Amino acid sequence: MAPLLVINVVGLTPRLLAHMPNVAKVGTAAALRPVLPAVTCSMQATLLTGAMPRDHGIVGNGWYFRDLGEVLLWRQHNALIQGDQLWTAIPGLRTANVCWWYAMGAPTDLLVTPRPIYHADGRKDPDCYTRPPSLHDDLETALGPFPLFTYWGPNAGITSSQWIIAAARRILTREHPDLLLVYIPHLDYDLQRHGPDGPEAIAAARAIDTALAPLLEEEAEIVVLSEYGITPASRPIDINRALRTAGLLEVYTQAGMEYLDPWTSRAFAVADHQVAHVYVRDPADLDHTRAVITELTGVDEVLDQAGKAKYGLDHERAG
């Protein structure tokens, strides 16, 4: 039986698919309705579990960890996803994960995930974490070091996607997994830098379509999907500034810089692209907080418990 290859081309939309002939040849396009919030971690957790954020607990790319008193984003451990996942759906299935999130500690046979080296003097070098450990040296010998600084940050570009594609092909042909999930980040970059409707977006779509061609020609059953599409945005909505003006948010200073103080703030927001989770320490402040946010231009909805339930977002981690 041919392996199943699932390729997550984040940011792919019908408009961009028209400029991607290699991807278009995979099969008939279908609409995929994302969850709220339509961000990487929440959508990938839903795709891995078939459940809503209320069940798997991934309410965004990060949230306020009440037991730690900290806002943490882009945590990597698989145990943060609650409930059963695709990796163990079929006993005996040999599985591989190349750069889908929440990879560390996942019950996969093979995995590759971005993981910098943090030195004692504060330097950060590019690298990745693999399972088994021998896979790291195999991929680095064949492909060079994982190009972390083109995976995210100001220099993000196609180099990282090309490395990921090459790694996926190597794993597919040498390790023979039954299920291989691959995350391709390139479309995210220029769409966020330049907007989704300009010539840069079309150029990015054509570039990644060309890069994907060898992987799409492998002997496998192939599914290409996307977590979300990017829509134009023209201005921010400064929720935390409004909460500070209203006397609900506090900051502390170090070296002349201000930092959010979640321990003493009565209310603050963890803003994450499409949504902001607003954490209110005392229920007595809920009405005041809701009134401040509702008045802000650009806010579409302010969800109470019933509103969160409507979108499958009523989890204890949510704001």
Side-chain angles (χ1 to χ4, degrees):
M1 184 174 67
L4 176 60
L5 172 59
V6 181
I7 306 173
N8 181 352
V9 184
V10 61
L12 177 62
T13 60
R15 178 179 178 272
L16 294 177
L17 184 60
H19 304 281
M20 302 174 71
N22 293 311
V23 172
K25 286 190 297 186
V26 169
T28 304
L32 179 65
R33 184 174 181 177
V35 299
L36 182 74
V39 295
T40 291
C41 294
S42 299
M43 273 301 298
Q44 288 196 15
T46 288
L47 291 167
L48 288 174
T49 62
M52 299 293 284
R54 72 156 61 93
D55 301 308
H56 59 61
I58 307 302
V59 298
N61 291 325
W63 54 87
Y64 179 55
F65 286 68
R66 292 179 175 89
D67 51 346
L68 299 177
E70 293 186 76
V71 175
L72 299 173
L73 295 104
W74 298 107
R75 303 296 93 186
Q76 290 184 276
H77 200 276
N78 183 264
L80 288 169
I81 301 179
Q82 299 170 351
D84 296 331
Q85 299 174 39
L86 183 62
W87 308 121
T88 56
I90 301 175
L93 202 68
R94 183 165 170 79
T95 58
N97 175 356
V98 180
C99 293
W100 279 53
W101 209 242
Y102 296 117
M104 299 186 71
T108 56
D109 296 286
L110 303 117
L111 73 85
V112 182
T113 193
R115 189 68 172 175
I117 303 170
Y118 294 99
H119 297 275
D121 62 2
R123 288 182 298 116
K124 181 170 74 172
D125 284 339
D127 206 351
C128 61
Y129 172 93
T130 71
R131 179 178 176 183
S134 59
L135 183 59
H136 177 279
D137 291 344
D138 175 73
L139 292 175
E140 189 167 276
T141 299
L143 308 176
F146 180 77
L148 181 76
F149 298 143
T150 65
Y151 184 86
W152 58 46
N155 294 320
I158 199 168
T159 303
S160 60
S161 291
Q162 291 169 330
W163 192 99
I164 290 168
I165 291 165
R169 292 186 68 203
R170 189 171 180 84
I171 288 170
L172 191 64
T173 57
R174 293 168 65 95
E175 301 293 342
H176 308 292
D178 301 301
L179 171 67
L180 171 58
L181 270 61
V182 185
Y183 174 78
I184 306 298
H186 182 63
L187 280 184
D188 230 12
Y189 304 145
D190 281 344
L191 270 64
Q192 291 203 45
R193 277 193 281 248
H194 305 291
D197 297 329
E200 297 89 353
I202 294 173
R206 289 172 173 160
I208 200 59
D209 186 67
T210 299
L212 278 168
L215 183 57
L216 297 173
E217 292 171 359
E218 296 287 350
E219 291 293 327
E221 293 290 333
I222 298 175
V223 175
V224 179
L225 54 81
S226 177
E227 303 159 6
Y228 52 76
I230 293 176
T231 54
S234 58
R235 56 178 169 73
I237 303 171
D238 295 319
I239 295 175
N240 278 330
R241 289 182 176 181
L243 293 174
R244 184 178 183 182
T245 300
L248 294 165
L249 180 147
E250 295 190 23
V251 300
Y252 65 93
T253 58
Q254 287 182 315
M257 296 179 287
E258 293 184 338
Y259 298 87
L260 170 70
D261 191 345
W263 307 288
T264 61
S265 293
R266 290 158 58 191
F268 64 91
V270 178
D272 186 12
H273 296 283
Q274 188 185 26
V275 300
H277 286 285
V278 182
Y279 296 91
V280 183
R281 186 154 49 99
D282 186 342
D285 286 324
L286 279 171
D287 288 343
H288 184 195
T289 303
R290 184 181 296 109
V292 170
I293 297 171
T294 302
E295 292 175 359
L296 294 175
T297 301
V299 172
D300 185 41
E301 293 184 80
V302 180
L303 305 178
D304 57 12
Q305 195 64 17
K308 289 188 292 183
K310 172 185 173 184
Y311 290 103
L313 196 52
D314 48 327
H315 189 276
E316 63 181 2
R317 292 171 177 167

